[in-house]
Amino acid sequence: NNKEEVAEEQQGETSQSNQAESSSQNNDKNNDQRIEQSPSSTAPTTSPFPECWFEDEESGLPLRWQLFVGVLYDLMKGRLIANNAGSPCNRFRNLPWKIRIHFTLYPTDQLLPLDITVPQQQHVSETGESMSTTKNSNASQQAQINTLIGRMYRNSLKQALFLQYGSSKVAMSITKNNHENMWDAVVQSNYDAYHQVNADLQVGVLAAPINNKLSLTDDLTDTDEKHNKELPQLVPVRILLNDKPAIQKPTLPQKKNIGEYLKQRPTEILQDDAVMYVSPYTTLGDVLVSCLPDLFKVDDDAPDCNAHYSIQGVQPSLTTTIVDLWRSLCHPDHFLYVIVATQ
């Protein structure tokens, strides 16, 4: 009998111990679930892929992701030509363009931050196992990058529209649908779709070229007066000198009002059998002399021998009107990018 009583007591203690252990495990599991399901401000942030950046292999300079690729290429090519590496025999040695991609050591002192990290989300599966997943998939994160760059583009376009019209009214009146259509057209390189929206935005985009060379004996025609009405208040121009930030100054389309210009224009030819040309319109040379007087001189159609300038890969004459260049060669954000490279 004593043995049976001892056995029953041992079984009771074992049963109580198992119940207590099971209850403790259940409590721990419930606590873990509450911790996993509750949001935490200290949750780690990760990205599905590393934050990368690009570098021009020739110069070792980081490529600014907010600039158009054509602008970046012209900067690289201009440096080669300015350093006497662009002679006819080796001018195209830089093609194909060699670009190095990095996944570490992002140069925050040279590039704008491109922070697209997303928070981790903890959750418990149906089987009770803890699982860690990212909030957005790779495809969603790619969309975030596209949104970020698209926002940079729209902000630049709004700046250009403000300069053209002298107010923010036109920029603020663009519908969301038109914004999206313009950005999609830029991404897909669809000029027809872009032009459908841009034709109503850019001042004088369909106007005929300006007659920049008005002689002393020419009369001002109705066409010239029409040009005057189709000019923007300010021409959106950005000058990029080497790897420095863009130089952006208010650029008037005309040196003087057409009416004032006619009153002050001489009525006689000063030299025998010579035609003297004067222009009331601002030229490319005027802009460069104003912004970079150390490299470009007044009444000089050639820059400093150590400088190379280009627009959209070509080198127009410094006497070309800035408005004609802007209408023909501006980028999709309505800015005319003038590239200047020096040794």
Side-chain angles (χ1 to χ4, degrees), residues 289 292-297 304:
V289 168
L292 301 172
D294 294 337
L295 298 177
F296 298 87
K297 307 301 180 183
D304 187 287

Side-chain angles (χ1 to χ4, degrees), residues 159-166 203 231-237 249-254 322-323 326 334:
Q159 290 182 41
L161 290 173
F162 181 86
L163 293 173
Q164 294 172 62
Y165 291 95
V203 176
L231 296 176
Q233 292 193 22
L234 294 173
V235 184
V237 179
K249 286 186 177 182
T251 303
L252 292 170
Q254 291 175 291
I322 199 68
V323 172
W326 171 68
H334 286 196

Side-chain angles (χ1 to χ4, degrees), residues 66-68 71 152-161 164 182 186 194 198 202 236 238 326 329-337:
Q66 75 274 18
L67 294 180
F68 292 96
V71 173
M152 295 284 292
Y153 163 75
R154 286 192 295 272
N155 289 339
S156 184
L157 176 62
K158 289 178 180 179
Q159 290 182 41
L161 290 173
Q164 294 172 62
M182 286 192 75
V186 171
Y194 173 83
N198 187 60
Q202 188 173 353
R238 284 175 178 163
W326 171 68
L329 300 176
C330 73
H331 275 73
D333 62 350
H334 286 196
F335 272 96
L336 180 70
Y337 289 85

Side-chain angles (χ1 to χ4, degrees), residues 74 283-285 288 296 300-303 308-322 324-326 328-329 336-339:
D74 285 347
T283 65
L284 174 61
L288 292 176
F296 298 87
D300 189 359
D301 195 33
H308 174 80
Y309 72 92
S310 65
I311 301 176
Q312 293 277 23
V314 298
Q315 192 174 64
S317 170
L318 293 177
T319 61
T320 309
T321 59
I322 199 68
D324 282 342
L325 290 173
W326 171 68
S328 304
L329 300 176
L336 180 70
Y337 289 85
V338 183
I339 309 303

Side-chain angles (χ1 to χ4, degrees), residues 19-146:
Q19 291 177 359
E21 183 176 354
S22 176
S23 176
S24 176
Q25 290 177 351
N26 290 334
N27 290 335
D28 291 342
K29 183 180 294 185
N30 292 335
N31 290 335
D32 291 341
Q33 290 179 355
R34 284 193 297 270
I35 292 174
E36 291 166 352
Q37 292 173 346
S38 63
S40 175
S41 59
T42 59
T45 58
T46 61
S47 175
F49 48 84
E51 186 176 30
C52 65
W53 56 281
F54 301 96
E55 176 189 54
D56 174 32
E57 190 174 286
E58 181 78 19
S59 63
L61 293 174
L63 300 179
R64 287 171 275 182
W65 56 265
Q66 75 274 18
L67 294 180
F68 292 96
V69 67
V71 173
L72 294 171
Y73 179 79
D74 285 347
L75 280 169
M76 181 273 300
K77 183 179 177 181
R79 280 191 296 266
L80 291 178
I81 296 176
N83 285 277
N84 299 322
S87 60
C89 61
N90 62 359
R91 173 169 293 185
F92 301 104
R93 70 170 190 166
N94 52 312
L95 293 176
W97 187 10
K98 295 181 181 179
I99 297 176
R100 183 181 292 112
I101 183 171
H102 295 266
F103 293 97
T104 58
L105 303 177
Y106 190 91
T108 54
D109 59 331
Q110 295 177 280
L111 298 179
L112 293 177
L114 184 62
D115 188 6
I116 52 172
T117 56
V118 294
Q120 286 270 9
Q121 239 188 7
Q122 301 280 346
H123 75 278
V124 180
S125 66
E126 295 180 355
T127 60
E129 297 178 355
S130 176
M131 300 177 63
S132 174
T133 61
T134 57
K135 186 178 182 179
N136 294 336
S137 63
N138 287 1
S140 178
Q141 191 154 2
Q142 181 64 37
Q144 289 184 20
I145 297 174
N146 186 61

Side-chain angles (χ1 to χ4, degrees), residues 241-287:
L241 176 62
N242 298 327
D243 59 336
K244 297 179 181 179
I247 301 172
Q248 186 174 318
K249 286 186 177 182
T251 303
L252 292 170
Q254 291 175 291
K255 301 173 187 176
K256 298 178 181 179
N257 179 273
I258 289 291
E260 295 178 358
Y261 165 73
L262 285 177
K263 293 177 183 179
Q264 299 177 9
R265 188 173 61 167
T267 57
E268 295 180 339
I269 297 179
L270 303 180
Q271 297 179 4
D272 295 338
D273 299 327
V275 179
M276 186 179 198
Y277 288 106
V278 288
S279 173
Y281 299 102
T282 303
T283 65
L284 174 61
D286 295 328
V287 176

